[in-house]
Amino acid sequence: TTDPTLAPMTVIGTVGVTATRIWDASRTSRGVRVRSRALAGGDVRTVNIAVPQIPDQPRRSFFTRDILVTPTGAVTLVGRIELGDGEVRPQTTLMALLSDGRLNTSFGRRGLLDVGRDAAVAVQSNGAVVVARTIQATRSRTDLVVRRLTRTGRLDSTFPVRRIESIATAAKHVDVEIDSQGRAVIGVGVKNGVATGMLLVRLRAR
């Protein structure tokens, strides 16, 4: 049945939901527009963020693939950057925002951080970022690599980088979620010869 406490809302782009608010993000000519609204209606907040520029690499827009929100309201956008010539970079890029929607310039490089091609990302309740991706080590061997970043985008020294070798001959898709106990659960679409399937990996909480 329809929840009568949830007010209708038209969104454009990617959507993220918390216990009290709904978020959406859509590209603009200079970056990305992020909007949030209370689930019960009203209290709409909109902010337009320009993609930080780097010398010799003009940037235009940010294509958001996912919106991750911590219990404190901090937001991480997961997506890709469109360069000035219209080319979309293949690397997955994180854009960190503060709870009021402003760019968190203390994260990564001026609020942005590249985490590798086709990487999957999840944010733990303390703001730490778990990144999982596959690496084609050889023509017949694919490895899974998992690492954790601090809230500022640095490699977390308390969480050793995990590399699980030879998960399959090839992998097509990676996803990562955080369970109720704070453990990272990674799903990988794998292929061995003509056989395909899903590999699930759960890491112990630290």
Side-chain angles (χ1 to χ4, degrees):
T1 59
T2 303
D3 185 348
T5 66
L6 178 60
M9 178 180 181
T10 300
V11 297
I12 301 175
T14 306
V15 176
V17 180
T18 64
T20 59
R21 303 191 69 82
I22 184 169
W23 303 71
D24 71 285
S26 56
R27 65 183 291 260
T28 66
S29 59
R30 296 186 58 205
V32 62
R33 184 199 70 168
V34 180
R35 182 178 58 160
S36 72
R37 195 209 66 183
L39 290 179
D43 189 22
V44 178
R45 307 169 190 173
T46 303
V47 59
N48 291 296
I49 302 169
V51 176
Q53 298 298 312
I54 294 177
D56 302 323
Q57 192 184 69
R59 296 172 168 186
R60 181 184 299 172
S61 297
F62 187 88
F63 289 87
T64 304
R65 186 184 76 201
D66 200 2
I67 302 176
L68 308 175
V69 188
T70 67
T72 61
V75 177
T76 300
L77 305 183
V78 183
R80 293 180 176 180
I81 289 177
E82 179 188 20
L83 301 179
D85 59 3
E87 177 188 0
V88 178
R89 300 173 69 241
Q91 290 86 358
T92 299
T93 301
L94 307 183
M95 177 184 288
L97 309 180
L98 300 171
S99 57
D100 61 3
R102 292 181 296 121
L103 190 66
N104 181 3
T105 56
S106 66
F107 179 87
R109 187 177 183 184
R110 299 177 63 189
L112 299 177
L113 181 66
D114 291 339
V115 292
R117 185 188 295 259
D118 298 325
V121 183
V123 177
Q124 296 178 309
S125 59
N126 63 356
V129 180
V130 178
V131 180
R133 61 186 294 251
T134 57
I135 296 177
Q136 195 71 40
T138 68
R139 292 184 61 183
S140 60
R141 187 189 112 197
T142 299
D143 297 349
L144 173 66
V145 178
V146 184
R147 66 188 192 274
R148 187 168 70 182
L149 309 176
T150 65
R151 285 178 290 182
T152 60
R154 297 180 182 275
L155 191 64
D156 188 344
S157 60
T158 68
F159 186 93
V161 176
R162 272 80 165 178
R163 183 164 184 152
I164 304 173
E165 298 183 349
S166 301
I167 61 169
T169 56
K172 292 187 176 182
H173 177 74
V174 183
D175 196 13
V176 59
E177 299 289 342
I178 306 300
D179 69 12
S180 59
Q181 298 182 41
R183 298 171 298 192
V185 180
I186 301 109
V188 186
V190 295
K191 181 177 181 180
N192 289 294
V194 296
T196 60
M198 176 67 70
L199 172 70
L200 292 177
V201 177
R202 185 173 65 187
L203 303 181
R204 294 178 180 177
R206 286 182 65 96

